[in-house]
Amino acid sequence: MAIQTVDPNTNQLLKSFEEMSFHQVDKAISQASSAFTEWRKTSYGQRADLLHKVATLMRDQKQYLSRLITMEMGKLIAQAEGEITLSADILDYYADNGEKFLADKTLAPEFGQAIIRYSPIGVLLGVEPWNFPFYQVARFAAPNIMIGNTILVKHASIVPQCAIAIEDLFTKAGAPKGIYTNLLISGKRASMLVSDKRIKGVSLTGSEAAGASIASAAGKNLKKSVLELGGSDAFIILEDADIDKAVEWAVVGRINNNGECCVAAKRFIAIESVADEFITKFRDKLAALVIGDPMDAATQLGPLSSEEAAVALASQVQKSVDAGAKVLLGGKRPVRAGAFMEPTILTDLHPGIPAYYEELFGPVASFYRVKDDQAAIDLANDSPFGLGGSVFTQDIERGKRIADQIDTGMVFINHPTWTQADLPFGGTKGSGYGRELSELGIDEFVNKKLIRVSDLSDPF
Ligand code: NAP
């Protein structure tokens, strides 16, 4: 894939970048590897200082960085500003809490003493997606730099200016060379790097295909991997839900980030007695969205990240209609320049229709009616994915009972799946494995070393 900035609002090519040569990449890995030998000796305080400085620079440059995001992948400008704030919060969170999370854990063996000590493992490779160009990197970089690992980031090819800007922030904050390195290379080359002996672990956020490629390379080379992949979150509306609230959240859950969230609400499942009210209100709100330039504060739905993404989504919708799905709203590309897709609702879906099992990455909602709680749970679980999900009800205990039976990494009651620094994020089934954020996110690429001290009372 060419490494380019193409404005999805106009589909105009703005800037092209040369891929790094094999020699340049080799040098970058060596630099990260020798930086590790020093970085692992630094104190938590020194590492925290670096992360705080990057967070401060990020906040200082919020306007500029937000515009880069919107220009490269089409996110609404206000949401891009929110992403910068969230990313800085994640850096601060690990700077403030990392030492506590990584403190020795004292065990209580029958004889003598034992502790678990957390040590870094070395150079890590992070392969990141375009949909949250700063936030995704922050989730990976902050905990790992705090641990004492050094990192190489292969960012998505359509956000090169964001990728370079993040590396610049680390450089300006005084990071020694090799602590954070951006690799301008293709996805295929990222998979090939996993076999390099200097790289000790790999984390990928992206599609199942890319995840499978990275995971098989990691498995073959006996390296730890973390995968954050796609999702098709169920959004369940029970008959006792506050329907107007559920509708408001349904709109946010589906079209936040122009619909391009792994944890977007994608399958709307309503109990029959409230299904008509919910779907009528939901359709009316989606139909009223103002589509336009994502730099314009009045816009409510911007373009997808690229023309390729919009063509792929429109084709999934068309194939689903050809297989029997009905279109309740939208269904087409609007007649205008740019990578746009109409807000769309599909109904009458069943296995055999592409939209039933596939992830729809854009403003396309699937709608289902079910007779009771069990049918809602069964439908929610009938998915290759297991990332997030929501239950809307005024009976919180009932919501928790349903949450318990949904096979995903996260379930939210009366809210779409969401994220913040101190809550773990990740999935199960085809959505990947491992966790990012919270205390769990700092626990993936560490050596949990047992140190055992014997004393004279130890039996032979
Ligand atoms: P993608 O094509 O898989 O791209 C993601 C990253 O993987 C990019 O840096 C890409 O590089 C790289 N890549 C592509 N093919 C590769 C390969 N064979 N080996 C190694 N790296 C490879 O993903 P996308 O379709 O653009 O992004 C959207 C997907 O990400 C959706 O499925 C979404 O649900 C998922 N996602 C998941 C989470 C989560 O936390 N679970 C968060 C955000 C997004 P190039 O750009 O150079 O191809």
Side-chain angles (χ1 to χ4, degrees):
M1 193 183 247
I3 302 180
Q4 292 177 332
T5 299
V6 176
D7 181 353
N9 184 47
T10 58
N11 286 340
Q12 279 186 347
L13 171 64
L14 300 181
K15 207 165 176 176
S16 293
F17 294 80
E18 283 268 310
E19 252 197 74
M20 285 168 79
S21 68
F22 284 89
H23 174 67
Q24 285 172 314
V25 172
D26 186 65
K27 214 170 124 200
I29 303 174
S30 285
Q31 204 153 52
S33 187
S34 45
F36 173 66
T37 58
E38 295 307 315
W39 191 243
R40 69 180 305 174
K41 294 181 203 150
T42 55
S43 67
Y44 287 123
Q46 284 169 288
R47 297 175 205 161
D49 276 353
L50 173 66
L51 294 181
H52 278 314
K53 277 187 191 139
V54 176
T56 302
L57 287 171
M58 223 179 237
R59 291 195 181 95
D60 290 349
Q61 297 180 26
K62 183 154 95 177
Q63 302 307 323
Y64 163 71
L65 299 172
S66 309
R67 290 184 72 80
L68 273 190
I69 296 178
T70 298
M71 175 181 77
E72 291 201 302
M73 54 68 67
K75 187 186 307 253
L76 300 185
I77 189 70
Q79 292 179 9
E81 288 167 10
E83 179 177 342
I84 295 297
T85 303
L86 174 61
S87 307
D89 289 349
I90 292 169
L91 293 162
D92 283 340
Y93 171 78
Y94 281 109
D96 291 338
N97 295 289
E99 182 166 5
K100 178 179 72 195
F101 294 154
L102 297 167
D104 288 350
K105 300 242 179 329
T106 306
L107 307 180
E110 196 179 347
F111 302 101
Q113 304 157 28
I115 55 165
I116 293 176
R117 175 150 301 161
Y118 294 82
S119 0
I121 61 169
V123 182
L124 305 177
L125 173 65
V127 183
E128 303 298 337
W130 44 262
N131 62 344
F132 290 89
F134 280 70
Y135 156 79
Q136 295 290 352
V137 172
R139 292 192 333 182
F140 168 67
N144 285 306
I145 286 176
M146 196 63 198
I147 292 163
N149 293 318
T150 59
I151 63 174
L152 302 164
V153 173
K154 181 274 178 275
H155 216 321
S157 293
I158 66 169
V159 290
Q161 297 193 55
C162 290
I164 292 167
I166 300 169
E167 186 183 51
D168 280 352
L169 291 172
F170 276 91
T171 307
K172 287 200 184 99
K177 258 202 164 341
I179 303 301
Y180 181 103
T181 311
N182 179 48
L183 300 179
L184 278 178
I185 56 169
S186 68
K188 218 187 252 106
R189 279 179 67 195
S191 279
M192 283 158 54
L193 287 185
V194 176
S195 62
D196 190 295
K197 286 199 164 38
R198 294 164 293 181
I199 293 177
K200 306 300 181 196
V202 57
S203 175
L204 176 136
T205 299
S207 60
E208 298 145 275
S213 167
I214 284 285
S216 60
K220 220 158 140 188
N221 291 282
L222 303 177
K223 289 182 187 175
K224 170 82 192 257
S225 61
V226 166
L227 298 181
E228 298 280 4
L229 308 179
S232 190
D233 285 10
F235 184 106
I236 298 173
I237 309 104
L238 301 182
E239 75 286 347
D240 68 345
D242 177 332
I243 298 298
D244 288 332
K245 272 259 160 57
V247 169
E248 296 284 346
W249 280 125
V251 174
V252 174
R254 183 54 286 199
I255 64 137
N256 180 40
N257 211 37
N258 300 326
E260 296 171 308
C261 287
C262 49
V263 288
K266 292 174 185 140
R267 295 178 296 143
F268 295 83
I269 302 171
I271 299 283
E272 186 61 67
S273 58
V274 289
D276 283 337
E277 183 187 354
F278 172 80
I279 194 62
T280 305
K281 290 179 171 171
F282 184 44
R283 181 200 58 199
D284 291 351
K285 286 212 180 280
L286 287 185
L289 291 172
V290 178
I291 301 179
D293 181 349
M295 292 285 184
D296 182 343
T299 298
Q300 294 171 312
L301 182 64
L304 297 193
S305 60
S306 67
E307 180 61 16
E308 199 187 6
V311 167
L313 183 63
S315 153
Q316 274 178 301
V317 168
Q318 189 53 52
K319 283 184 186 150
S320 298
V321 171
D322 293 346
K326 300 241 158 47
V327 177
L328 184 68
L329 176 72
K332 297 187 296 299
R333 306 275 312 271
V335 186
R336 57 173 296 152
F340 288 86
M341 176 73 192
E342 290 176 347
T344 295
I345 301 175
L346 298 177
T347 65
D348 296 72
L349 299 165
H350 53 73
I353 294 180
Y356 186 87
Y357 284 128
E358 291 177 6
E359 180 182 29
L360 297 164
F361 217 54
V364 179
S366 306
F367 178 68
Y368 301 85
R369 295 162 185 270
V370 289
K371 66 177 191 322
D372 57 20
D373 293 14
Q374 191 55 51
I377 295 163
D378 292 345
L379 185 52
N381 286 337
D382 190 18
S383 166
F385 298 105
L387 196 51
S390 314
V391 184
F392 280 74
T393 173
Q394 301 200 42
D395 179 347
I396 301 304
E397 290 311 312
R398 183 181 175 197
K400 286 188 197 163
R401 281 196 300 278
I402 292 179
D404 205 32
Q405 296 172 74
I406 295 178
D407 298 330
T408 59
M410 302 165 276
V411 182
F412 282 63
I413 296 170
N414 293 328
H415 203 281
T417 316
W418 218 247
T419 184
Q420 61 192 54
D422 56 357
L423 295 180
F425 192 105
T428 173
K429 294 161 62 178
S431 295
Y433 47 78
R435 290 292 180 271
E436 289 189 315
L437 298 178
S438 79
E439 185 169 356
L440 300 189
I442 207 164
D443 210 33
E444 296 286 355
F445 295 104
V446 279
N447 177 16
K448 294 156 199 156
K449 188 189 298 174
L450 169 70
I451 301 181
R452 172 82 162 94
V453 182
S454 286
D455 62 23
L456 293 176
S457 60
D458 261 5
F460 284 104

